[in-house]
Amino acid sequence: MILSEIKTVAVLGAGTMGNGIAHVFARAGFNVILRDLDQRYLDRALDTVSKNLDREIKKGKLAESEKSSVLARLEPVTEMAAIASADFAVEAVPEKLEIKRAVLTEADNTLRPEVILASNTSSISITALAALTSRPDRFVGMHFMNPVPVMALVEVIRALQTSDAAFNLTMELTKKLGKTPVAVNDAPGFVSNRVLMPLINEAAYCVMEGVATPEAVDAVMKLGMNHPMGPLELADFIGLDVCVDILHVLHEGLGDPKYRACPLLKKYVAAGWLGRKSFRGFYTYS
C-alpha cells in the first residue's frame, strides 16, 4: 500500500487520545471511522472534537467554513465490523494489556490483510502487541502526545517484526497530519516516558519527603529549567493512575529499581486522586 491509497482511517477508542487522533486525521482530509463500545462515549468524543475545532478557528488555524466538512468526515460506530473498509487503523484504548489484546485481535480479524495496524500505547511493548496479530510485519507504534490536536510530536515505534515498508509509510502518513514523526526503537516507555516518568516520580518523592510543596517543585522546574508546565502539574494532566501504570511497565521491563513508583503517587491513586479528571491530584481543580 502507498500513501495515496489511504483514504479511510479507523480509530479504535473514543477517549481523550482517540478523539484527538480522529480530529487530526479528519482535519487532514481523511475519512475517519471512530469506534467505541458505547454511543455515549462517541457522542462525548464528537462534542470534544467540535469544541477543539472552535478553538482552532479562534486561533486562526482553521477557517470557520471548514468545521462542518471536518465533522462530516467523522463516522461514529459501535460495531467492529464497521471498520472493514479502513485503509489504516490506530488503536487508542486504555493502557491495559488485556483490553488491547481483545481490541487488537478483533480489529486484526476485521481489517483487510494489507492494512497497517498501529497502536497509540504509551509504554507497552510494540513487539509484544505485534505478536498478538496475524500481521506483525504491518504493526507499528504511533505514540501521539496529549493534547493531540496541539502537540507536534508522534513517536513512531518499530517493533522487532515491523517491515521497512510499513514503518516508512507510517512516517509519511504522520507528516501528512502536520505532525513531526520521530523514529524510535521498541523499548519500555520508548523515549518520551522513559525520560519523563522518572522526572515526575522524583518530583513526587520531593513532596513526600518534605523537600518542597508541589507549587515550589513546579516553580523550580518552570522558572529554572524553562519547562512550560511543572512535572506535578503535568502528572495531574496525564493522570496519576496512568503515570503509575507506565512506571510499573518501566520497572518490570527494565528491571531497574529507579523506576519504582513513588509511594505517594500510589497512595493518591488508591484514594481516587487521579489529577484533573477526578478534580484532585497534587492540586485541587474546580
Side-chain angles (χ1 to χ4, degrees):
M1 185 172 281
I2 58 174
L3 184 59
S4 61
E5 294 173 335
I6 299 175
K7 309 289 185 188
T8 301
V9 175
V11 178
L12 311 174
T16 301
M17 297 305 293
N19 75 61
I21 294 166
H23 174 142
V24 297
F25 271 106
R27 190 181 63 190
F30 295 93
N31 296 316
V32 178
I33 303 166
L34 180 59
R35 191 262 174 173
D36 211 310
L37 287 169
D38 195 311
Q39 188 62 42
R40 287 176 305 156
Y41 303 142
L42 293 165
D43 292 343
R44 187 171 63 194
L46 293 176
D47 183 56
T48 299
V49 172
S50 180
K51 287 174 180 172
N52 286 337
L53 289 169
D54 287 338
R55 287 195 186 96
E56 291 181 339
I57 290 164
K58 281 183 182 174
K59 291 178 181 176
K61 294 181 177 178
L62 185 76
E64 195 159 358
S65 58
E66 290 181 67
K67 180 183 174 181
S68 58
S69 58
V70 173
L71 291 173
R73 287 194 284 270
L74 291 166
E75 180 191 355
V77 301
T78 54
E79 297 300 321
M80 187 66 87
I83 75 162
S85 62
D87 307 310
F88 192 94
V90 183
E91 166 273 308
V93 300
E95 198 73 350
K96 302 286 183 187
L97 183 57
E98 60 275 16
I99 300 174
K100 290 193 183 292
R101 180 185 286 114
V103 170
L104 290 172
T105 301
E106 196 179 354
D108 180 41
N109 291 333
T110 306
L111 295 164
R112 302 192 312 278
E114 69 272 19
V115 170
I116 294 170
L117 179 53
S119 174
N120 180 59
T121 180
S122 56
S123 60
I124 296 172
S125 166
I126 299 298
T127 297
L129 293 177
L132 300 175
T133 74
S134 64
R135 64 188 78 216
D137 59 321
R138 278 149 288 133
F139 195 94
V140 66
M142 207 177 185
H143 182 208
F144 290 83
M145 304 293 126
N146 185 27
V148 179
V150 175
M151 302 296 279
L153 173 68
V154 179
E155 283 184 302
V156 181
I157 302 111
R158 184 194 289 268
L160 187 63
Q161 311 94 314
T162 307
S163 70
D164 288 344
F167 184 80
N168 292 337
L169 180 54
T170 305
M171 293 285 280
E172 285 181 62
L173 181 61
T174 304
K175 290 175 187 172
K176 193 167 180 183
L177 299 179
K179 301 296 184 188
T180 303
V182 176
V184 178
N185 287 322
D186 188 26
F190 317 130
V191 172
S192 54
N193 283 318
R194 185 167 177 173
V195 174
L196 174 63
M197 287 303 148
L199 171 64
I200 287 172
N201 207 36
E202 203 59 38
Y205 271 112
C206 284
V207 174
M208 186 182 81
E209 293 170 4
V211 177
T213 64
E215 292 83 358
V217 171
D218 283 343
V220 167
M221 298 306 293
K222 286 190 287 187
L223 300 175
M225 284 65 181
N226 210 25
H227 290 198
M229 287 177 80
L232 301 175
E233 287 178 276
L234 183 53
D236 274 358
F237 182 75
I238 294 167
L240 303 189
D241 53 334
V242 176
C243 294
V244 169
D245 285 344
I246 295 170
L247 283 161
H248 285 331
V249 169
L250 289 166
H251 188 204
E252 187 178 315
L254 297 167
D256 192 322
K258 73 181 179 184
Y259 297 110
R260 281 184 307 199
C262 173
L264 183 62
L265 273 177
K266 291 160 76 172
K267 187 182 286 187
Y268 280 11
V269 171
W273 297 2
L274 309 181
R276 282 183 175 273
K277 61 189 172 187
S278 67
F279 304 105
R280 183 160 188 179
F282 284 98
Y283 299 92
T284 303
Y285 305 89
S286 57

